[in-house]
Amino acid sequence: MGRTGGRAPGIGVILSMELKQQAVAGTAESSDIMVTIDPVGGDAVEISLDSSVEKAFGDRIREVIAETLKNLGVTGVKVTAVDKGALDCTVQARTIAAVYRAAGTAGEFDWKEIDAWNA
Amino acid sequence: MFMPGANPAMLRDAGLYGADSLMFDLEDAVSITEKDTARALVHFALKTFDYGDTETIVRINDLNTVGKLDIDAVVRAGVDVVRLPKTETAQDVIDADEVITEVEKACGREVGSTGIFAAIESAEGVLNALSIATASPRVRGIALGAEDYVTNLKTQRAYGDNMQLYFAREMILHAARTAGVAAVDTVYSDVDNMDGFRAEVEHIKTLGFDGKSVINPRQIPVVNDVYAPTEKEIQKAKEIVWAAREAEEKGLGVISVRGKMVDKPVIARAERTIMLAKVSGLIGEEDL
């Protein structure tokens, strides 16, 4: 599954997703965000954002991406995001989908864990 | 109203158009390469947006492909109904029921609280309509999916020809009525032909369908308009319901309204007219 760590499910687990390849999720359509995930190794997380709503929501979008990566236990990653006014839930959905693709587990989402972050 | 599960703007705005049910599609409207991302979008949309009293439905992919992952995503997110594509036999419903039950148990949702809507889209499905409709207590309705059905019959849609789908529509209606579930008619794909669309809605209403699937918000007011009873129909229905109420209080059996005998089926039709008038916003409780 590409997950290399984590406690037993259901007790506030922090997943650890092992990134294997570059992956993209999302589109350049209005209200969407295209998130590209590049595994770069190490512990750093670098987020580069180009947003049509940068002035009002740029910091918030970076925060949602960073929080989602943290919840997924992803480090050593460069994220390039092109935003066209996506809501938080879309930013989360696209980031998670891109990470799962990069981990080689596209679509096999662990909803129990993911929903626990937002509970 | 059908809408693709892969489009964030449509998922956000879905509740604005006055549809009775919203059907987010993970199947044919989503390309094979975007099944995973659409699944995530729909999960978050169901968890995030307040669609009010509007019923939420998700059309999943075949259980033999990624349908189980779809069920896991949408049942956990609280979807009202799972729509099964290309239902051919009762076993298709039973198989989906088992997967839904498993997910409901795993996420703590009340077992049985997720409904099933079975789309019938082939000759085999039409011939098995009754066993499909009665395969599980979860089944809330059955629907004709005409595009795949006519392809299976080795023909194509002939808009305006009321006979072409007559057999399938009647089979589905009879099965739905026998099972006590909803019967919903197929989509009308020629979105620019509003006159043709209205004529088809009038036709399927006359046959007895509970509603019609739409693929464009422009089609919604037409369906609501055709299904909304006229003032005359509402007045007549009110008189029947009032007379029936009075007869019940007095312990009378058969009654007469405007010189015509009113018995149980007439009262049932009048009650349905009142229900449609209420949901169309034409009358309120105070009018009764």
Side-chain angles (χ1 to χ4, degrees):
Chain A
M1 293 286 284
R3 284 170 214 151
T4 56
R7 287 169 272 159
I11 48 168
V13 182
I14 296 177
L15 296 172
S16 178
M17 307 273 304
E18 185 189 344
L19 305 183
K20 295 174 178 166
Q21 63 213 8
Q22 188 196 59
V24 186
T27 70
E29 300 284 317
S30 175
S31 307
D32 205 347
I33 182 169
M34 187 184 282
V35 177
T36 305
I37 298 280
D38 273 302
V40 292
D43 291 330
V45 172
E46 183 192 333
I47 299 171
S48 157
L49 173 70
D50 173 5
S51 173
S52 60
V53 291
E54 169 65 40
K55 283 182 187 171
F57 299 109
D59 288 345
R60 174 63 190 160
I61 295 166
R62 276 183 284 272
E63 189 188 348
V64 173
I65 294 172
E67 191 68 22
T68 305
L69 294 172
K70 190 180 159 198
N71 283 328
L72 288 166
V74 171
T75 53
V77 63
K78 182 184 169 202
V79 179
T80 310
V82 180
D83 171 62
K84 302 288 180 186
L87 296 174
D88 284 7
C89 60
T90 305
V91 177
Q92 261 194 315
R94 294 311 197 186
T95 305
I96 291 167
V99 167
Y100 270 75
R101 282 180 167 186
T105 56
E108 296 174 18
F109 305 110
D110 186 343
W111 293 118
K112 188 173 182 180
E113 294 306 325
I114 293 167
D115 290 342
W117 313 334
N118 296 309
Chain B
M1 178 166 67
F2 280 48
M3 65 199 64
N7 187 312
M10 287 188 192
L11 293 170
R12 181 197 59 205
D13 298 339
L16 303 177
Y17 304 107
D20 298 319
S21 300
L22 298 170
M23 205 221 61
F24 306 127
D25 192 10
L26 294 177
E27 199 218 11
D28 288 351
V30 176
S31 74
I32 192 84
T33 56
E34 294 300 327
K35 296 293 187 192
D36 58 330
T37 56
R39 190 178 307 128
L41 273 184
V42 169
H43 176 90
F44 277 100
L46 289 167
K47 298 279 286 188
T48 306
F49 300 123
D50 180 4
Y51 296 116
D53 293 335
T54 311
E55 182 179 55
T56 56
I57 306 175
V58 175
R59 178 161 74 170
I60 61 162
N61 291 281
D62 191 295
L63 290 187
N64 294 320
T65 60
V66 292
K68 288 179 184 171
L69 293 174
D70 293 341
I71 288 176
D72 188 41
V74 302
V75 170
R76 285 178 182 275
V79 75
D80 294 322
V81 177
V82 169
R83 179 173 168 126
L84 309 182
K86 301 176 182 68
T87 319
E88 310 247 280
T89 66
Q91 193 59 46
D92 293 340
V93 178
I94 294 164
D95 291 345
D97 185 324
E98 283 172 3
V99 178
I100 294 170
T101 300
E102 210 175 290
V103 176
E104 284 175 340
K105 281 180 182 165
C107 71
R109 192 173 162 172
E110 185 190 340
V111 173
S113 62
T114 312
I116 286 178
F117 207 95
I120 292 175
E121 308 180 63
S122 67
E124 186 182 5
V126 166
L127 293 173
N128 289 329
L130 181 57
S131 61
I132 288 169
T134 53
S136 158
R138 292 184 189 274
V139 177
R140 305 258 180 96
I142 54 176
L144 174 63
E147 297 296 340
D148 282 297
Y149 171 69
V150 294
T151 305
N152 182 237
L153 289 189
K154 299 189 176 176
T155 181
Q156 54 193 322
R157 284 295 289 275
Y159 289 109
D161 175 4
N162 286 338
M163 288 311 294
Q164 189 195 30
L165 298 176
Y166 187 73
F167 177 72
R169 282 174 167 150
E170 285 297 333
M171 284 290 284
I172 283 166
L173 266 169
H174 282 76
R177 296 299 167 246
T178 306
V181 301
V184 175
D185 193 49
T186 186
V187 299
Y188 189 88
S189 307
D190 187 1
V191 286
D192 290 329
N193 184 357
M194 295 305 282
D195 291 340
F197 178 66
R198 178 175 284 270
E200 185 161 288
V201 178
E202 284 168 352
H203 173 63
I204 61 107
K205 185 198 171 197
T206 306
L207 289 180
F209 276 93
D210 295 297
K212 184 151 181 80
S213 303
V214 299
I215 51 170
N216 188 300
R218 281 194 297 149
Q219 295 179 325
I220 294 172
V222 177
V223 179
N224 286 340
D225 186 44
V226 170
Y227 270 85
T230 63
E231 210 172 303
K232 204 173 153 189
E233 288 168 336
I234 296 169
Q235 185 54 35
K236 190 178 161 194
K238 276 193 211 169
E239 288 173 23
I240 291 168
V241 170
W242 288 333
R245 210 180 283 164
E246 197 184 326
E248 198 181 326
E249 280 166 13
K250 291 180 180 169
L252 300 172
V254 176
I255 52 171
S256 106
V257 173
R258 295 187 193 181
K260 284 187 182 161
M261 188 185 84
V262 171
D263 53 10
K264 211 174 160 191
V266 178
I267 297 166
R269 278 204 301 277
E271 283 171 343
R272 181 172 158 74
T273 301
I274 298 287
M275 181 273 289
L276 285 170
K278 270 194 208 165
V279 297
S280 302
L282 298 171
I283 57 169
E285 277 305 327
E286 65 281 3
D287 296 308
L288 302 170

